[in-house]
Amino acid sequence: MQQGGKTDAPYYLMCERSWIFHTLMAIAGFFGAYTYLLRGNVFCNAQTGNVVLMGMALGARKWGEALYYLIPISAYLLGAFVSELLPNPVKHKLPMRWDTLLIAIEMLVVAALGFVPDAAPVQIAQVAINFIASMQYNTFRQAEGVPMATTFATNHIRQIGVGIAQACRHRHSPDKPYRRKLKKHVAMLLFFVGGSVVGTIFCNLLAGKAIWVTLLPFAVVFGALLHADLTTEKDLVERKPAGH
């Protein structure tokens, strides 16, 4: 839209704001430290490692071990399935968007995981985080117009490399639109690293109950999303976040 010869800045839904993505990315880094240090030396935010391990088990004819990896992979698949089907029913039956409800679900899972004994089977925490990470990855897709992932760092590292290459290619050009995107990916990577640092500190201090630390940033995100759903974005319930 244009008014008085000036172009209005685009309006982004609360669930698309950069600070929401930064917060979720820091929590993902925390989860990475938590599952690696305390829950089986694995990273549950993505599934590449489990697929490779399943293939290795099949190659070694360890059929039982190969079948085991179908559990976390299936949990991740189920998370994507659920998060794809629920958004429309949720926003038509509840006074909130699916994005907001998802954060509430994640908080409930985190609260429950804090009660899981340190000696309990690591698969409990692994599968739970696989499930919520998949739903989050499929739900929060773009931060203020830039495609983003809130559960792992690989794509952000790739995009930083692309951004640096563009900076070298266009170093003499006055038009540098790639800078905004590059800065966003750098910020996401830094928040992920910061979350893993904080996660490591609290895992060493609190063991399994360290995961409760993430309830605070989750609560901030939930409060912001719910407030928007009930007030400023109440009339925008039919508007889909970019990327959906």
Side-chain angles (χ1 to χ4, degrees):
M1 295 179 60
Q2 291 187 342
Q3 295 180 346
K6 294 183 179 180
T7 302
D8 292 341
Y11 179 82
Y12 296 106
L13 296 169
M14 183 60 67
C15 61
E16 299 174 278
R17 306 289 174 86
S18 289
W19 77 266
I20 295 285
F21 277 67
H22 293 160
T23 305
L24 295 178
M25 194 62 168
I27 293 172
F30 193 110
F31 281 172
Y34 168 78
T35 57
Y36 188 84
L37 293 173
L38 304 176
R39 303 302 184 188
N41 299 116
V42 297
F43 300 111
C44 295
N45 298 349
Q47 290 303 298
T48 303
N50 281 330
V51 174
V52 171
L53 291 171
M54 184 175 69
M56 292 170 62
L58 289 171
R61 298 182 180 180
K62 298 178 181 179
W63 314 121
E65 185 176 328
L67 286 174
Y68 160 74
Y69 288 111
L70 287 177
I71 298 174
I73 293 171
S74 297
Y76 205 87
L77 186 152
L78 180 61
F81 176 81
V82 170
S83 63
E84 195 67 24
L85 290 183
L86 287 185
N88 280 332
V90 167
K91 71 182 181 182
H92 291 144
K93 294 182 179 180
L94 297 176
M96 66 177 71
R97 289 177 171 273
W98 160 248
D99 318 76
T100 309
L101 179 60
L102 171 58
I103 298 301
I105 293 171
E106 292 195 72
M107 292 175 69
L108 290 174
V109 171
V110 165
L113 287 177
F115 289 106
V116 175
D118 293 340
V122 296
Q123 291 81 1
I124 297 173
Q126 290 177 5
V127 170
I129 292 179
N130 282 324
F131 182 64
I132 62 175
S134 175
M135 291 196 293
Q136 183 178 302
Y137 175 44
N138 194 47
T139 299
F140 293 89
R141 299 183 183 181
Q142 287 195 19
E144 300 181 6
V146 179
M148 293 285 183
T150 61
T151 58
F152 54 86
T154 303
N155 183 57
H156 299 296
I157 296 172
R158 180 181 73 87
Q159 292 292 349
I160 290 170
V162 170
I164 294 173
Q166 290 176 335
C168 293
R169 186 184 301 125
H170 303 293
R171 61 186 180 277
H172 299 304
S173 172
D175 187 20
K176 302 183 185 297
Y178 57 86
R179 282 186 173 178
R180 174 175 174 269
K181 187 176 180 181
L182 174 59
K183 289 178 181 177
K184 284 185 174 293
H185 286 291
V186 169
M188 290 291 279
L189 182 60
L190 291 176
F191 273 97
F192 189 85
V193 173
S196 64
V197 170
V198 174
T200 300
I201 293 171
F202 279 100
C203 284
N204 289 329
L205 290 174
L206 304 176
K209 289 181 172 53
I211 198 168
W212 283 341
V213 172
T214 63
L215 288 174
L216 179 58
F218 266 136
V220 173
V221 171
F222 177 75
L225 293 177
L226 184 61
H227 180 266
D229 291 343
L230 299 178
T231 57
T232 57
E233 296 176 0
K234 186 176 181 179
D235 296 330
L236 299 176
V237 67
E238 294 298 331
R239 176 172 168 177
K240 290 184 177 181
H244 287 263

